[in-house]
C-alpha cells in the first residue's frame, strides 16, 4: 500500500490520512484489466486499494447513465450519471463503502466523519451496516430535519459549536489519538471509491467532457484518477476533458484557477443554495488545481439562478436532484462545447434531501363533483 | 394483446382498464426465455406486454438484493430487495415506465393517476420524461411537503375534495371519456412492470418465501405473476410462498382471508403509520385473495409498533425505508418459517419520503474546545 502526496511528492507506506505538507495523499495509480462481474467492485477488482467487503455491500454504484433530452438544443449528446439512486441517495456511498472496508480490515472499532449532509448519512448508514460505532460531527446550525436522516441509522450524532472549518483537520488529529477512523471528504480510500463513476461511464460511453460538481475536491480527484487509470491501462483511447463546476457564491477553486494562483484561498462569506458544494476552504482544492492545470481541464462557476433553472429542467426529465447536482447542467451554457460532443454530467444527490428549498410546481383544487370540468 | 379477468374469466382483446364485472384485468401469462442484457427489460424481453421504450428509461429496476443480518436470530437467510433506489425512490417506477411505454405507443397525449405518495411522484416524473402531460389527482388533505416532491416534476397536481375512495373508479371512467390515460395502482401494464422484481430475485436467489407489503394489490399481483411465469417456463423449480403483508390498522385483505370470505370488504376507519399501504378498499383485493387461496399462500398483518421497530432495525443495517416498507421484516416473527429458509422482503420506498415521522436518533452537543472529551 503506497500513498503519495500529489502536492509535494512525499510517499508513505502506511494508510496515512494526509501528507506532512498538509496536502491530501493518494494511492499510486493501479494497473489491471476489467473482468466480467455483476458489480463495479468485481468488474474492476484490480483497481481498489483494499478488497471490497462484498458481503456487506448495500449495492452502491452501478448507477444508470441516462440519455438527456436537454443536450439537443445545444447540439451535444448529453448523458446524466444518476448517483441519486445509491443506498443513501448520494454518490458518497461509493467512497464510504470502500473506506469502511478498510476500516473493518484494519481493526477499527469506531469511525467518524465531519459533515451535515450526504456524507453524514452515508457514514452513519455504512458504519451500522459494518457493525462499527460512528461519531458524526455536524455543525451547530444543522437543521433538525437534516439530522433525522442521519441519526436514524443509529450512530452518535454530535453538534459541534465553534469554527466548523477547523473541525475537518482537528477530527483527523483527534481521531488518530483516540483510535477513531475519520472518513472525511477526501479520505484516500473514499476518493478511490469514486473511481467507479469513471469506470462505469467508460463502459457506457466514451465521453468528451465530464462535468463534476466540486466542493472539497474528493469527488473530482476520484473521477479524474479513474479516467487516468483507464487511459494508462489502455482501456480508454482519449482522456475526456474534466470540468470542475462550482457555485459562484462559493467558488474558491475556480477563482484560484482563473487568477493563476498555485494555492486555493479561503472563500469569504460563501453564499449559495447549492449547500452540498459550499466548502469555502476545500481540503483537496490545491490538488484539484494541479489536475486542472496539468491536463488543461476547466473550472466553471454558475449562479444560483442558473442552478434553480437547471434543477427545474432536470425534474422535467424525471430527475429530481439537489441544487448542487444541477450545477453540471447549469454549466453547459457557459462552456464552449463543440457540436456533437458527448458530455456526461454527474447528478450527485437526491432532491428529497433538500425538499424544503425545491422549486414548487402549481397545485390546483377541484371538488369531486366537478372533476370532469377540472380535467378538461 | 389479450387480457383476462382473474375473477370472472372474461377476456378482452384491447387494452381495457377493468373488467365489466368490476375486477381487474391482467395479461395472459407469457412464454419465453431469458437473454443476456444489461437491464431487466432486455433480459426478460419476451415477458412484457409492450415493447419497453428503452431510450426513455430512467434506469428503473435492477435494484440490489442485499443480504440482511436480521435473519440470523430467526435462523433464516434473509435478503432485502431494495426498491428505494429506483429513479423516484420507490418500486412504482417499474410499473410506471411500462405503462408509460404503452401510453406513448397508443398515442395518448395526457396521462393521470390517483395517489398522494410514491405513485404520484412516479407518474409525474415519467410523464415529463416521456413528453406527455399529466394530471395527478391527490386527496385534499395531502401535505404541502409531500406535494412538493410531486409538483416539482412539472405535471398538473389537483387536490380533489370529496370521497377519495370513489376517485379511483371515477378517474378511469372520466379518463376514457376525456382521452386521459390513467395509470392507477393496478393498471394492467403497471402490474406487468412489477414482474421484474420476481425475475431479478430469481436471478439472485431461489427464495422459499417472499414478503410483499400489500395495499391495492397491484404489487402483489405483479410479483406473483412474475414467479408464475418463471415457473411455467421451466426457469424456476419451485414456486416460493408469497406472503401479503398488511398493517393491522388497515388490513382488509388479511381479514377477508382469515374469515374465509370470497370478497374483500371496505376496512372502516383505517389507521396506521404505514400510510403507503393504507388503502381501505383495495381495487385488486379480490384478485389477491384468489391467489392466496389458489397457491396456499399467506396473509399477515402487523402492528404499528412492530413496524416502527422493524424500520429502526433496517436503518441499523444501513437501509432507511418508509414505514410501509418495513412491514415485511416486521412480519417475520409472526410467521413460522422453517430454519434455514431463504426469505426475501421487498423494501418498497425510501425513508426520505416520510422523514417527518421517522424514528429519531439521539443528537448530542459539544463545543469545539472540548471535542476530545466528547469523543472519548
Amino acid at each position: 500500500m503506497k500513498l503519495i502526496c500529489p502536492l509535494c511528492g512525499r510517499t508513505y507506506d502506511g494508510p496515512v490520512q494526509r501528507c506532512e505538507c498538509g496536502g491530501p495523499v493518494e494511492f499510486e495509480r493501479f494497473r489491471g484489466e476489467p473482468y466480467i462481474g455483476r458489480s463495479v467492485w468485481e468488474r474492476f477488482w484490480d483497481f481498489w486499494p483494499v478488497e471490497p467487503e462484498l458481503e456487506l455491500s448495500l449495492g452502491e454504484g452501478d448507477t444508470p447513465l441516462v440519455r438527456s433530452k436537454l443536450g439537443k438544443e445545444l447540439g451535444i449528446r448529453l448523458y446524466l450519471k444518476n448517483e441519486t439512486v445509491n443506498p443513501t441517495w448520494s454518490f458518497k456511498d461509493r467512497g464510504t463503502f470502500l473506506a469502511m472496508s478498510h476500516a473493518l480490515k484494519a481493526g477499527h472499532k469506531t469511525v467518524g466523519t465531519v459533515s451535515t449532509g450526504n456524507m453524514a448519512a452515508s457514514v452513519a448508514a455504512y458504519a451500522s451496516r459494518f457493525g462499527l460505532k460512528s461519531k458524526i460531527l455536524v455543525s451547530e446550525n444543522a437543521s433538525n430535519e437534516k439530522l433525522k436522516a442521519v441519526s436514524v441509522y443509529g450512530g452518535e450524532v454530535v453538534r459541534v459549536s465553534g469554527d466548523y472549518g477547523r473541525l475537518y483537520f482537528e477530527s483527523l488529529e483527534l481521531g488518530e489519538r483516540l483510535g477513531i477512523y475519520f472518513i472525511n471528504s477526501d479520505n484516500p480510500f473514499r476518493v478511490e471509491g469514486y473511481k467507479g463513476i469513471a469506470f462505469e461511464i467508460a463502459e457506457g460511453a466514451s465521453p468528451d467532457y465530464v462535468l463534476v460538481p466540486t466542493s472539497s475536491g474528493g469527488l473530482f480527484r476520484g473521477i479524474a484518477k479513474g479516467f487516468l487509470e483507464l487511459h494508462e491501462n489502455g482501456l480508454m483511447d482519449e482522456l475526456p476533458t474534466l470540468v470542475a463546476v462550482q457555485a459562484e457564491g462559493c467558488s474558491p477553486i475556480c477563482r484560484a484557477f482563473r487568477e493563476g494562483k498555485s494555492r486555493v484561498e479561503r472563500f469569504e462569506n460563501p453564499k449559495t443554495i447549492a449547500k452540498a458544494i459550499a466548502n469555502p476552504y476545500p481540503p483537496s482544492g490545491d490538488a484539484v488545481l494541479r489536475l486542472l492545470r496539468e491536463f488543461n481541464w476547466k473550472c466553471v462557476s454558475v449562479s444560483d439562478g442558473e442552478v434553480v433553472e437547471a434543477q427545474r429542467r432536470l425534474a422535467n426529465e424525471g430527475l429530481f436532484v439537489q441544487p448542487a447536482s444541477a450545477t453540471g447542467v447549469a454549466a453547459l451554457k457557459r462552456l464552449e462545447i463543440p457540436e456533437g460532443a458527448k458530455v456526461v454530467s454527474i447528478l450527485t444527490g437526491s432532491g428529497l434531501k433538500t425538499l424544503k428549498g425545491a422549486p414548487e410546481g402549481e397545485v390546483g383544487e377541484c371538488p369531486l363533483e366537478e372533476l370532469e370540468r377540472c380535467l378538461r
Side-chain angles (χ1 to χ4, degrees), chain A:
Chain A
M1 190 183 308
K2 200 165 177 188
L3 287 148
I4 187 162
C5 172
L7 299 186
C8 75
R10 274 192 195 82
T11 60
Y12 299 85
D13 289 325
V16 300
Q17 290 260 21
R18 291 193 83 79
C19 179
E20 287 166 41
C21 82
V25 289
E26 68 186 32
F27 289 94
E28 288 188 299
R29 302 224 182 103
F30 289 86
R31 299 206 64 81
E33 53 181 353
Y35 305 101
I36 289 170
R38 202 172 163 79
S39 71
V40 68
W41 305 117
E42 294 161 283
R43 293 196 303 283
F44 291 85
W45 193 253
D46 293 344
F47 295 86
W48 314 116
V50 61
E51 195 172 302
E53 291 280 346
L54 294 183
E55 297 244 315
L56 293 170
S57 166
L58 290 171
E60 57 293 321
D62 288 297
T63 56
L65 189 63
V66 174
R67 179 73 183 258
S68 168
K69 292 182 279 186
L70 297 178
K72 211 173 170 187
E73 64 193 72
L74 295 165
I76 60 172
R77 284 174 287 174
L78 179 64
Y79 297 84
L80 305 165
K81 185 66 174 160
N82 186 8
E83 294 294 306
T84 76
V85 295
N86 274 296
T88 74
W89 308 293
S90 87
F91 73 98
K92 294 284 185 184
D93 293 335
R94 296 175 183 262
T96 304
F97 170 67
L98 201 60
M100 207 67 77
S101 293
H102 163 69
L104 188 72
K105 280 182 225 285
H108 294 289
K109 301 282 181 263
T110 308
V111 298
T113 199
V114 175
S115 161
T116 44
N118 291 325
M119 192 163 56
S122 183
V123 170
Y126 278 82
S128 290
R129 173 74 179 165
F130 276 64
L132 302 176
K133 286 188 189 157
S134 65
K135 309 268 187 183
I136 312 294
L137 309 184
V138 304
S139 71
E140 57 188 324
N141 51 17
S143 74
N144 282 329
E145 197 200 0
K146 252 190 172 167
L147 294 191
K148 273 192 108 166
V150 178
S151 68
V152 70
Y153 292 109
E156 195 182 326
V157 178
V158 184
R159 275 183 204 276
V160 183
S161 50
D163 179 1
Y164 192 68
R166 265 174 54 201
L167 199 50
Y168 173 96
F169 298 99
E170 295 229 355
S171 68
L172 294 183
E173 201 187 297
L174 273 173
E176 196 126 334
R177 234 171 33 238
L178 303 174
I180 302 169
Y181 187 66
F182 271 85
I183 305 173
N184 290 350
S185 58
D186 60 357
N187 168 286
F189 290 93
R190 170 179 292 288
V191 170
E192 292 288 315
Y194 300 150
K195 294 191 309 193
I197 297 175
F199 297 160
E200 294 167 25
I201 289 173
E203 289 176 309
S206 192
D208 302 303
Y209 292 82
V210 179
L211 308 168
V212 187
T214 299
S215 183
S216 71
L219 175 62
F220 188 92
R221 286 176 52 219
I223 291 177
K225 190 162 184 279
F227 282 120
L228 289 169
E229 289 179 357
L230 289 172
H231 191 246
E232 284 183 3
N233 283 278
L235 302 170
M236 187 172 214
D237 291 336
E238 299 260 6
L239 273 182
T241 297
L242 263 61
V243 184
V245 185
Q246 300 208 286
E248 265 178 3
C250 184
S251 48
I253 299 173
C254 287
R255 187 182 60 187
F257 186 59
R258 198 173 52 234
E259 296 177 352
K261 299 260 172 69
S262 64
R263 298 236 129 186
V264 172
E265 280 158 29
R266 180 181 291 276
F267 200 93
E268 301 298 339
N269 306 315
K271 192 172 180 302
T272 170
I273 55 158
K275 299 256 179 282
I277 54 166
N279 191 326
Y281 189 53
S284 276
D286 296 343
V288 170
L289 207 52
R290 285 178 80 103
L291 285 167
L292 295 176
R293 296 242 166 80
E294 183 175 352
F295 295 101
N296 199 19
W297 288 341
K298 293 174 194 297
C299 202
V300 173
S301 57
V302 292
S303 71
D304 277 6
E306 290 169 316
V307 169
V308 172
E309 171 64 10
Q311 192 186 17
R312 200 187 55 73
R313 298 196 67 180
L314 283 165
N316 281 335
E317 271 208 293
L319 294 164
F320 177 32
V321 300
Q322 55 187 180
S325 300
T327 54
V329 167
L332 282 174
K333 280 190 197 160
R334 300 209 172 201
L335 285 161
E336 284 168 23
I337 297 180
E339 214 174 296
K342 269 194 242 174
V343 182
V344 178
S345 186
I346 315 293
L347 308 183
T348 48
S350 166
L352 294 181
K353 300 242 182 177
T354 52
L355 195 52
K356 236 176 212 165
E360 218 150 333
E362 273 178 53
V363 179
E365 301 202 356
C366 181
L368 182 54
E369 310 81 60
E370 296 177 30
L371 189 57
E372 179 159 357
R373 184 186 56 76
C374 301
L375 286 180
R376 271 188 201 281

